[in-house]
Amino acid sequence: MSTHQTASAPSADARMWHRLLALHAHVEHRLSTALQRHHGLGLSEYRALGLLATAPRNELRMQELADGLGLNQSSVTRLVGRLNTAGFTYRDVCEDDKRGVYTVLKDEGRARHAAATATYEATLGAALEAAPEGTAVAALREALGGNLG
């Protein structure tokens, strides 16, 4: 009797999920490289500036920013530290709750995000067009309604 067990073939859902993850990794790498090279921004920094740009009064509590980015509190604290050092944001204390800390977008941060958005959009489109076969970009576009904007 053999001591080896044959692994069962992955389910259709598992195969689909792996293709989706491969697409995600491909696109994230391209976006990250382009934003860093052309604008000196990491992908999370770009996304944080975007969240702040669309927030009421251009400010978010640290926990709101963490939730919006899908990062933990310590990662967001480091990210906000980098944005503050770069002059893109500043911290502000909540008037109602002195323990609450806001991250507030500065004009410099808005300008950097706006400049990087064209690069982000162009790179995203190119990355999706260059996606490896089997990643089902066309099917995803159709399933999600094509042009969602």
Side-chain angles (χ1 to χ4, degrees), residues 94-115:
C94 177
E95 290 297 320
D96 301 335
D97 175 7
K98 297 298 182 194
R99 294 172 299 158
V101 177
Y102 285 97
T103 300
V104 184
L105 185 65
K106 294 172 69 174
D107 289 342
E108 294 86 345
R110 181 184 322 288
R112 180 64 62 96
H113 181 265

Side-chain angles (χ1 to χ4, degrees), residues 43-141:
L43 194 48
S44 291
E45 293 164 340
Y46 171 81
R47 289 179 175 146
L49 293 175
L51 288 172
L52 290 166
T54 59
R57 297 188 318 263
N58 300 127
E59 64 184 22
L60 291 171
R61 285 181 178 262
M62 294 291 279
Q63 188 58 54
E64 293 172 316
L65 197 52
D67 292 345
L69 295 170
L71 297 174
N72 64 39
Q73 192 69 37
S74 64
S75 294
V76 169
T77 298
R78 288 190 303 275
L79 180 141
V80 168
R82 292 190 304 272
L83 294 175
N84 289 348
T85 298
F88 299 147
T89 62
Y90 66 92
R91 291 177 191 236
D92 198 12
V93 177
C94 177
E95 290 297 320
D96 301 335
D97 175 7
K98 297 298 182 194
R99 294 172 299 158
V101 177
Y102 285 97
T103 300
V104 184
L105 185 65
K106 294 172 69 174
D107 289 342
E108 294 86 345
R110 181 184 322 288
R112 180 64 62 96
H113 181 265
T117 295
T119 299
Y120 180 93
E121 293 290 338
T123 303
L124 176 60
L128 290 173
E129 289 303 317
E133 284 299 316
T135 56
V137 172
L140 282 170
R141 283 180 170 154

